[in-house]
Amino acid sequence: LSVTMTAISTLLSVILMPLNLLLYCKYSYEADVVQSLDFNSLFIALTVVISAIGLGLTASAKVHSYKFNILANKLGNYAGVSLVAYSALMSNTGGETQMWEHPWQFYVGVLIPCIAGLLVANILTTFLKMNKPERV
């Protein structure tokens, strides 16, 4: 289920990410940030993610090994944590605005969709009487 939801959200991100960038950049910044966005790099990144999900699904369908699944899971977790750490580090180096220079409303605005998503997912899966591991 997790892989399926990730695949669906990634496919939708091809349309929704540029749309979000256009909306957020237009209303969050005074300058026309959209003109300076590198959409080629954005779509290359989306292609890489979609390809990785496709390869992962193919490997999962072709390789029926518990050890392989555990190794792939560990590598995926390591890659995800590394990407988050790298992104946080790189977004705070150079440039005009440092990560911690935003007002508190910015962080609340970023946090609300994450918390709301977790709450809605857990409430919905509880309502559907799914087992606790499946809810997460």
Side-chain angles (χ1 to χ4, degrees):
L1 181 62
S2 175
V3 173
T4 304
M5 293 304 295
T6 301
I8 291 170
S9 68
T10 301
L11 290 174
L12 289 174
S13 71
V14 172
I15 297 167
L16 296 177
M17 186 186 297
L19 180 64
N20 279 334
L21 284 172
L22 291 172
L23 289 174
Y24 290 135
C25 290
K26 182 176 181 180
Y27 296 111
S28 297
Y29 301 101
E30 294 174 9
D32 191 13
V33 177
V34 175
Q35 297 297 330
S36 64
L37 291 176
D38 185 3
F39 281 98
N40 286 334
S41 295
L42 177 66
F43 286 112
I44 289 171
L46 287 172
T47 302
V48 168
V49 170
I50 291 170
S51 299
I53 290 171
L55 287 171
L57 288 171
T58 302
S60 177
K62 299 288 182 187
V63 180
H64 300 288
S65 167
Y66 180 74
K67 287 183 179 181
F68 175 77
N69 290 345
I70 296 297
L71 176 65
N73 192 341
K74 287 181 180 178
L75 287 173
N77 286 334
Y78 175 74
V81 170
S82 298
L83 182 60
V84 169
Y86 177 76
S87 298
L89 180 69
M90 295 311 291
S91 69
N92 205 29
T93 58
E96 297 174 9
T97 305
Q98 298 298 309
M99 187 186 319
W100 304 114
E101 292 179 357
H102 294 288
W104 67 269
Q105 294 94 339
F106 173 82
Y107 300 104
V108 171
V110 170
L111 184 66
I112 287 174
C114 300
I115 300 296
L118 287 171
L119 286 173
V120 169
N122 280 290
I123 291 169
L124 183 62
T125 54
T126 301
F127 178 73
L128 295 172
K129 296 182 170 91
M130 296 178 81
N131 295 330
K132 286 188 178 181
E134 293 173 339
R135 293 178 193 175
V136 175

